[in-house]
Amino acid sequence: MRRRIACTLALAGLALAATPAASAAETWQQTSRQTYYLLDALQRSQGIATDGTTWYFSWKLGLSRVTLDGRTVLATNALAIPAQLSALGANHIGDIDYHDGKIYAPIEDGTDYRHPYIALYDAATLTYTGTAYALPLSVQPDGAPWVAVDAARGYVYSSAYDPTPALNVYSLTDLHLVKTVPLSTTIGSIQGAKIYEGDLYASSNNDAKSIYRIDPDTGQVTDVFDRASSLPSGSETEGLAFLPTSDGAQMHALDAVSGRLATYLYNYRQTTS
């Protein structure tokens, strides 16, 4: 959970930014919602990913693997941050992703944000593989809030948290920075993102609780829909994932309630006009 006060000067510089274009051809409708309480809520409060057969969740310090019905925990790593990163002050795991038997986990050292990393874990056991990649502060100045794997393009994406002026593009092979893609509109408070049908969908903890679609090649930003009116008071937008489920949903967005009393998983079905 990354509640923070954005720099006044930075926000002042964004005051004239254009509003992302609304998509007339793409709409999403809520189909269902799961609610997790107490320990389940705590351990499903940051990020979400899937391998198609199970869910993976992250929380501030740990990882879990859970059946798709959300009822059975298959594996847990309650202290997933590697010791060498903890020694640098690392204390927060963001929105994760799955690829080729590995969990990609963004790790940061809030509140200093001087050591952003992406660490790799065995997806079956959630044990640390011993591999972690340092991300450049020049493009990740306020941590590593999320990571998304784009296997088709051979890239891994992340971004600065707030403001978010560009998409940071890393090599899937060794996580070196390949390029940055400036966004058509500066956005911010991005808590999670995933690739879906070739585009990057990102969830924001802004006032509107926006879901954005970003073209990874051009940086074109579309404000797909806003979720604030449908969420309980005190909700903080977290990670999101994509998986076709029995209720017809494809998008699954995670929201944590202040105080960790509950975590909600909202499920959305895409419709087109």
Side-chain angles (χ1 to χ4, degrees), residues 94-96 106 118 144-148 157-160 167 190-193 200:
D95 188 33
I96 57 178
I118 293 175
W146 60 273
V147 64
Y157 305 121
S158 192
S159 74
L167 191 63
I190 302 304
Q191 299 273 57
L200 185 73

Side-chain angles (χ1 to χ4, degrees), residues 50-62:
T50 183
D51 58 7
T53 61
T54 57
W55 290 122
Y56 299 90
F57 293 98
S58 61
W59 67 96
K60 187 175 179 179
L61 300 176

Side-chain angles (χ1 to χ4, degrees), residues 73-169:
V73 177
L74 302 172
T76 302
N77 185 345
L79 296 174
I81 297 177
Q84 60 268 41
L85 299 190
S86 294
L88 297 174
N91 60 3
H92 185 280
I93 301 173
D95 188 33
I96 57 178
D97 206 354
Y98 169 90
H99 172 66
D100 194 25
K102 300 291 188 300
I103 294 298
Y104 287 65
I107 299 176
E108 60 190 21
D109 54 320
T111 57
D112 291 335
Y113 303 109
R114 303 303 298 169
H115 302 285
Y117 275 83
I118 293 175
L120 273 56
Y121 296 80
D122 179 89
T125 64
L126 302 181
T127 55
Y128 176 52
T129 64
T131 299
Y133 299 96
L135 305 183
L137 281 173
S138 59
V139 296
Q140 305 274 166
D142 52 0
W146 60 273
V147 64
V149 176
D150 186 348
R153 291 181 175 91
Y155 291 144
V156 174
Y157 305 121
S158 192
S159 74
Y161 176 67
D162 189 28
T164 308
L167 191 63
N168 300 331
V169 183

Side-chain angles (χ1 to χ4, degrees), residues 149-251:
V149 176
D150 186 348
R153 291 181 175 91
Y155 291 144
V156 174
Y157 305 121
S158 192
S159 74
Y161 176 67
D162 189 28
T164 308
L167 191 63
N168 300 331
V169 183
Y170 299 93
S171 167
L172 181 56
T173 303
D174 60 5
L175 271 289
H176 76 270
L177 182 66
V178 176
K179 60 182 177 179
T180 61
V181 178
L183 301 184
S184 62
T185 299
T186 295
I187 53 180
S189 300
I190 302 304
Q191 299 273 57
K194 295 292 187 297
I195 287 290
Y196 178 65
E197 295 186 343
D199 285 331
L200 185 73
Y201 284 74
S203 59
S204 172
N205 193 46
N206 60 9
D207 289 343
K209 310 301 185 187
S210 303
I211 298 290
Y212 297 111
R213 186 179 72 246
I214 302 169
D215 184 321
D217 297 319
T218 68
Q220 180 63 43
V221 176
T222 301
D223 190 341
V224 178
F225 71 110
D226 298 333
R227 306 170 56 236
S229 62
S230 64
L231 301 181
S233 176
S235 294
E236 180 173 359
T237 299
E238 301 294 350
L240 80 167
F242 288 86
L243 179 71
T245 52
S246 59
D247 61 357
Q250 297 104 359
M251 179 192 294

Side-chain angles (χ1 to χ4, degrees), residues 32-86:
S32 60
R33 185 186 79 176
Q34 284 79 51
T35 304
Y36 306 118
Y37 296 107
L38 302 175
L39 183 61
D40 284 343
L42 174 67
Q43 295 186 348
R44 304 174 192 191
S45 58
Q46 289 295 326
I48 182 172
T50 183
D51 58 7
T53 61
T54 57
W55 290 122
Y56 299 90
F57 293 98
S58 61
W59 67 96
K60 187 175 179 179
L61 300 176
L63 301 168
S64 64
R65 183 164 67 94
V66 181
T67 54
L68 290 182
D69 62 9
R71 297 176 181 174
T72 304
V73 177
L74 302 172
T76 302
N77 185 345
L79 296 174
I81 297 177
Q84 60 268 41
L85 299 190
S86 294

